[in-house]
Amino acid sequence: MLASLEQFMLSSGRGTGESCVQKLIMAVTGDETAATGDMPAYQIRTPTTTLPQGVVMAASPGTLHSPQQLAEEATRKRELRLMKNREAARECRRKKKEYVKCLENRVAVLENQNKTLIEELKALKDLYCHKAE
């Protein structure tokens, strides 16, 4: 990629491109010697932190909250979650009632249809039996 970038710089009439490539590498690595090829362009560096190992800072120091604020926030989130849960449960019960009502109506319709079909079957049997005689 480095060679193709240099070729682009040469072909576009922007000079040798060496200084631009060096600046790009220095900007990426933050190391002046990386541009000369003395060391790899990307290096894994250990983070410099004053935190004990395993401790991760979640927010910037300006946004840290007191334990009381954290407790209030947790309480507020819990109440919000409970309120949403109540609404969801209410909606679920409403839908269930609607579904049961629909099933009851379907049962009534099917019972009427069944009764009608039984009467029709009985009438056809009587008709068939009288023709046979």
Side-chain angles (χ1 to χ4, degrees):
M1 182 175 136
L2 195 57
S4 62
L5 185 57
E6 285 179 14
Q7 289 171 353
F8 168 74
M9 295 298 281
L10 286 171
S11 66
S12 63
R14 299 178 198 262
T16 61
E18 188 173 323
S19 61
C20 291
V21 171
Q22 286 176 346
K23 287 179 185 177
L24 178 64
I25 292 174
M26 286 188 306
V28 169
T29 62
D31 189 0
E32 294 179 18
T33 59
T36 62
D38 293 341
M39 57 191 318
Y42 294 99
Q43 293 182 354
I44 298 175
R45 296 182 183 167
T46 57
T48 55
T49 180
T50 58
L51 294 174
Q53 189 174 4
V55 175
V56 178
M57 197 162 128
S60 65
T63 60
L64 292 178
H65 300 292
S66 69
Q68 183 181 3
Q69 287 173 326
L70 292 173
E72 289 173 358
E73 179 72 13
T75 303
R76 187 187 65 76
K77 284 183 178 181
R78 181 178 183 272
E79 288 176 2
L80 182 64
R81 181 177 41 94
L82 289 175
M83 186 177 66
K84 286 181 179 181
N85 190 26
R86 279 187 215 105
E87 288 295 321
R90 186 178 296 121
E91 180 68 14
C92 186
R93 287 188 298 269
R94 185 192 64 76
K95 284 183 177 181
K96 184 178 179 182
K97 281 183 182 179
E98 185 179 320
Y99 177 72
V100 168
K101 233 179 226 182
C102 185
L103 286 178
E104 288 171 347
N105 289 339
R106 184 177 166 113
V107 165
V109 167
L110 291 173
E111 282 177 344
N112 284 337
Q113 188 178 11
N114 196 23
K115 183 179 176 182
T116 304
L117 289 172
I118 288 173
E119 289 174 0
E120 186 179 342
L121 178 63
K122 187 176 180 182
L124 288 173
K125 279 184 180 179
D126 287 342
L127 182 65
Y128 179 75
C129 287
H130 288 309
K131 277 190 175 181
E133 295 174 357

